[in-house]
Every structure is written in structure tokens, then in C-alpha cells.
Amino acid sequence: MKMQVQLNVNDTTHQLEIDANATLLEVLRNLTRHQSVHRSCEEGECGACTVLMDGQPVNSCLILAASVQGNRIMTVEGLMKGDTLHPLMKAFTDELGLQCGFCTPGMVMSAYALVNQWEEEVLSDMDIRKAIEGNLCRCTGYVNIVKSIRRAKAAKDAGNWW
Ligand code: FES
Ligand code: FES
């Protein structure tokens, strides 16, 4: 069954006709063309499809697109300012927090939610690892990812953040 929906993705409103049982992942990849949102397990296990819904990380493969009308969806494209990388994305490149890059958009969204909402002075490696525990990376061993997120926190503390 087809239905009309209105989705807010990266502060842009999309009027779409979708299958009633389409997942948010399918709609983001196939209709709104946010192909940074990666498809892998489609079972909520790998985190490759992570996006933010009203600021909180969610697995878009587990959510029906029709159920998120009225919510603000954010993908990694929404972090960019024109061609300028967000300080968090820059931290991932500077600290070599990615190799093949498959996990990276989802990892970055989980990391963004963590750093953006973190109000305490110290962000420990344990806090970081807990925040990204739902995002699997087969390449890096996580050490450089943790360093990247630490660097992003320092950037935020220095006022370099949006
Ligand atoms: S594709 Fe959604 S969690 Fe793996
Ligand atoms: S960089 Fe390859 S899966 Fe994480």
C-alpha cells in the first residue's frame, strides 16, 4: 500500500509517496538520496544505518518511515556547512578514525550525539566506547575512533563546533 508522507531530513521537508512498510533506511537511501546512510545487517546489530532522530541516535533500518513524520531526522550530510567538514568529521580524518569508511557515517552520528550533548568537563574513553557500542567497525580496532572523538570534544571546548 502506498501513502503520502512528509519527512524532515537535515532541515529540508520532503513530500514523498512511500510504501507503508518502507523503513526509514530505505526511504533515505532510495528516495531522498542520503546514501551516506549505509545498509548492512538490517537487524539493528551493526549501526551502519545510524541517523539522529530529534538528536538521538537510532537504527534507521528498524524504524518505519511513516512513523517519523514530525520528527527531525539528521544524517551526516547535515553536519556539513557547504563544502566545509564539521569539526567532528575533520577529527576523524586527522586521527585516521576511518579506513574503508563503511561504518563511518553511522559512527559519526553516534559520536555527534555524544559530544554535542556532553556537558561535563571530562569525557572518558569509557564514555566514548559506551556511546559507540552499537556501531561496529571491522577495520580500525576502535583506538583511532576514540582518539577522533576525543579530538572533537577538544574542538567543541575550544568553541569550534556547530
Ligand atoms: S543496517 Fe541497521 S543496524 Fe545494521
Ligand atoms: S572503517 Fe571499515 S568498517 Fe569501520
Side-chain angles (χ1 to χ4, degrees), residues 57 92 107 110-111 114-115 118 122-137 140-150:
F92 267 75
M107 191 72 79
S110 292
L114 171 70
V115 176
W118 196 260
V122 176
L123 177 62
S124 71
D125 287 3
M126 192 61 79
D127 295 322
I128 293 172
R129 285 180 181 274
K130 193 164 173 351
I132 61 169
E133 66 189 1
N135 296 85
L136 303 185
C137 177
T140 64
Y142 298 95
V143 171
N144 287 353
I145 290 175
V146 172
K147 278 191 201 165
S148 303
I149 297 171
R150 248 193 267 133

Side-chain angles (χ1 to χ4, degrees), residues 3-9 12-18 27 32 65-71 73:
M3 60 185 293
Q4 305 291 324
V5 294
Q6 186 169 300
L7 296 190
N8 179 329
V9 185
T12 298
T13 301
H14 299 262
Q15 302 279 355
L16 303 164
E17 183 178 79
I18 67 169
V27 169
T32 62
S67 72
V68 301
Q69 299 187 77
N71 299 100
I73 304 301

Side-chain angles (χ1 to χ4, degrees), residues 82-133:
D83 291 337
T84 305
L85 291 181
H86 187 277
L88 172 60
M89 300 160 93
K90 175 98 171 45
F92 267 75
T93 59
D94 289 346
E95 294 288 359
L96 304 178
L98 66 153
Q99 289 182 28
C100 80
F102 189 80
C103 71
T104 308
M107 191 72 79
V108 165
M109 295 321 286
S110 292
Y112 180 78
L114 171 70
V115 176
N116 202 43
Q117 293 166 22
W118 196 260
E119 289 179 352
E120 292 165 42
E121 192 175 332
V122 176
L123 177 62
S124 71
D125 287 3
M126 192 61 79
D127 295 322
I128 293 172
R129 285 180 181 274
K130 193 164 173 351
I132 61 169
E133 66 189 1

